[in-house]
Amino acid sequence: MNCALFPGQGSQHVGMGKYLYDNFKGAQELFEEASDTLKLDFKKLCFQGPEDELQLTENTQPSLLLVSVTCFRIFKELKDIEFQYMAGHSVGEYAACVAAESLEFKEALVAVRKRGEFMQSAVPVGKGAMVAVMGLTP
């Protein structure tokens, strides 16, 4: 059985999705659709940054959704693989729902943009942080 797993916030970086955009028409179409839906230039944001703008939660979350869905759809074009399960970490859950066809791409974009805005407003830029605790014993 095959599972597609989608990443959460923290996996973003300037340049993400550029190879796919440069090499696949389907990727170009998704970037255009996302940019039109949210009135945001995702090519500039994802490919050029600046990093601090991409790191804003309200921008990070729709950008990750866009690149995750793009990766999944291009992979499906190239490989004849059926997925029985979809999973995602945090905002990656939305990409999993789009991949599973239980949520429309445009609806997911709007939802994660709002989600990011709400999260960003809860903690002002430069305040607070997230950490990962690893290697603990039971």
Side-chain angles (χ1 to χ4, degrees):
M1 295 207 188
N2 297 309
C3 176
L5 179 61
F6 298 93
Q9 193 163 338
S11 59
Q12 73 276 1
H13 61 89
V14 172
M16 66 181 186
K18 184 158 181 13
Y19 175 84
L20 295 173
Y21 184 89
D22 289 345
N23 291 281
F24 297 96
K25 183 168 178 43
Q28 295 165 9
E29 291 169 353
L30 282 170
F31 269 80
E32 282 182 36
E33 184 177 354
S35 294
D36 290 346
T37 299
L38 296 183
K39 309 296 185 245
L40 186 63
D41 186 350
F42 280 101
K43 286 190 310 185
K44 181 180 182 305
L45 182 62
C46 291
F47 305 159
Q48 300 170 9
E51 183 80 26
D52 60 334
E53 191 173 329
L54 180 60
Q55 297 294 343
L56 293 174
T57 301
E58 62 194 39
N59 293 333
T60 300
Q61 294 197 4
S63 296
L64 281 174
L65 173 69
L66 167 59
V67 174
S68 292
V69 169
T70 300
C71 287
F72 180 78
R73 290 190 179 169
I74 298 303
F75 182 80
K76 290 281 290 177
E77 278 181 32
L78 298 174
K79 299 290 181 184
D80 185 25
I81 296 175
E82 290 299 317
F83 291 89
Q84 289 77 32
Y85 301 100
M86 309 291 177
H89 177 259
S90 190
V91 74
E93 294 170 329
Y94 289 84
C97 287
V98 172
E101 299 179 5
S102 64
L103 183 60
E104 293 293 324
F105 180 56
K106 285 183 181 182
E107 292 172 350
L109 282 168
V110 171
V112 298
R113 176 64 177 202
K114 282 290 184 201
R115 180 182 192 261
E117 288 172 354
F118 295 144
M119 292 173 74
Q120 191 71 58
S121 69
V123 181
V125 175
K127 302 285 183 189
M130 293 189 335
V131 298
V133 178
M134 301 168 63
L136 295 178
T137 61

